[in-house]
Amino acid sequence: MRRLDAEDEVPVRDHFYMPAEWSPHARTWMQWPCRVAPWGTPEGMMLARQAYGVVARTIARFEPVTMVVRPEDKAEAQLVLGGKIDLFEAPIDDSWARDSGPTFLIDGKGGHAGVQWTFNAWGTKYTPFANDAAIATRILRSLDYKVYQGPLTVEGGALHVDGAGTLLVTEQCLLNENRNPELTRQQIEARLALYLGVLRIVWLGDGLKEDETDGHVDNIACFAPGGRVLLAMPRDKSDPNYPAMSDNLVRLHEARDAHGAKLEVVELPLPHTIRRRHDGSRLEMSYVNYYAANGAIILPAFDDPADEEARRIVADVFPGRQIVQIDALPIVEGGGGLHCITQQQPL
């Protein structure tokens, strides 16, 4: 990891910051599934491709969508996606646009830029990953946006902002020895502040137990308008995730945002049914892992009794937005959710 010097160009010095995800979008970016391993079998990846198609076509009802696709997969992607989805041909290794795609920035005056973080496939869990480690730069250059090289190994799903100076992260992920072992917590905070334009970082503890991202925050907690934070919370105290989520609940109640205000915590249930991935690990399903499109919330459904309760809660948090629930099971089988496969490009 390179040093961060005083002379370095950094977003905050150029007045750039990361806006809230519910602010207006120019479009959504996604990446077409191309690695079999996360899905277990070619059949699993085929189901994932169909599910990605449903997500892309649904979002396209509210805003433009661009799918990054390998040239050899273009014909199949066009067949599944239909004519309303733009295709961006580029070499990629995997399909998690949230994590390997750019973190988009704005300056509030019509200017745009983005960060290319160092990407190592969640602690080198999947190889190769060189193409995914460069895709953010490819996208930003195609848009003629300024590219900042973020001096931190991190994924987009590990970062969530309120757009007003506050950032949510987890210790399990950002302090993991497979990401930035040479950096202290304070050094990580300094880099995040300079590259995201945040003034306060709220540190949660652990994520969901069998989440192979090492506890990405976007599977357990996210900001919402009006100083709210949605937190995934098991209803069953015997759930293995209950201790960690209870600890996160305490942390959020004690936290303050960048302006010193208390956060209002809204608990979202975890699905009641326990399901298993192809490798036997628990399918870590979460309603927090939704996507906020223009005028809509694309919310996961898991064929679970908690689906409707989650829909009601999210509808209350986002009045005036259409709540569209999509079967997310074929996507979660790969290790992520609806938020993980999408990346918003702000206006």
Side-chain angles (χ1 to χ4, degrees), residues 38-39 44-45 47-52 55 96 271 273-278 282-287 289 299-304 307 325-338 341:
W39 321 103
M45 187 172 75
L47 292 173
R49 285 177 167 179
Q50 295 292 332
Y52 273 54
V55 173
W96 309 100
T273 307
I274 294 178
R275 303 176 189 268
R276 298 288 168 183
R277 291 183 69 194
H278 59 272
R282 177 171 168 170
L283 205 63
E284 291 294 17
M285 304 171 287
S286 171
Y287 299 107
N289 207 300
L299 184 69
F302 303 107
D303 189 24
D304 189 272
D307 286 354
Q325 280 190 292
I326 291 179
D327 176 18
L329 286 172
I331 295 170
V332 178
E333 174 66 33
L338 303 186
I341 69 172

Side-chain angles (χ1 to χ4, degrees), residues 79-207:
L79 186 64
V80 174
L81 295 170
K84 290 188 176 181
I85 310 302
D86 297 323
L87 300 184
F88 180 86
E89 292 185 55
I92 50 174
D93 304 302
D94 217 326
S95 54
W96 309 100
R98 176 67 50 183
D99 289 349
S100 57
T103 294
F104 287 99
L105 309 173
I106 62 174
D107 63 4
K109 301 176 182 178
H112 298 83
V115 182
Q116 166 74 72
W117 303 106
T118 300
F119 179 77
N120 73 351
W122 313 277
T124 65
K125 291 183 176 67
Y126 293 93
T127 56
F129 55 81
N131 290 321
D132 282 354
I135 190 60
T137 296
R138 286 179 180 270
I139 291 172
L140 291 167
R141 286 180 176 165
S142 77
L143 298 167
D144 199 26
Y145 286 3
K146 183 177 179 63
V147 182
Y148 293 95
Q149 297 294 329
L152 199 65
T153 299
V154 70
E155 306 85 38
L159 311 169
H160 203 282
V161 299
D162 66 356
T166 317
L167 170 67
L168 272 177
V169 297
T170 67
E171 294 170 345
Q172 182 188 357
C173 184
L174 269 73
L175 303 184
N176 198 300
E177 62 181 12
N178 65 14
R179 301 299 204 283
N180 302 284
E182 74 285 3
L183 298 178
T184 66
R185 178 176 176 140
Q186 290 71 30
Q187 288 172 324
I188 290 172
E189 287 184 333
R191 284 160 168 75
L192 292 170
L194 289 171
Y195 281 77
L196 297 177
V198 296
L199 301 172
R200 178 162 295 178
I201 299 174
V202 177
W203 287 87
L204 302 184
D206 288 347

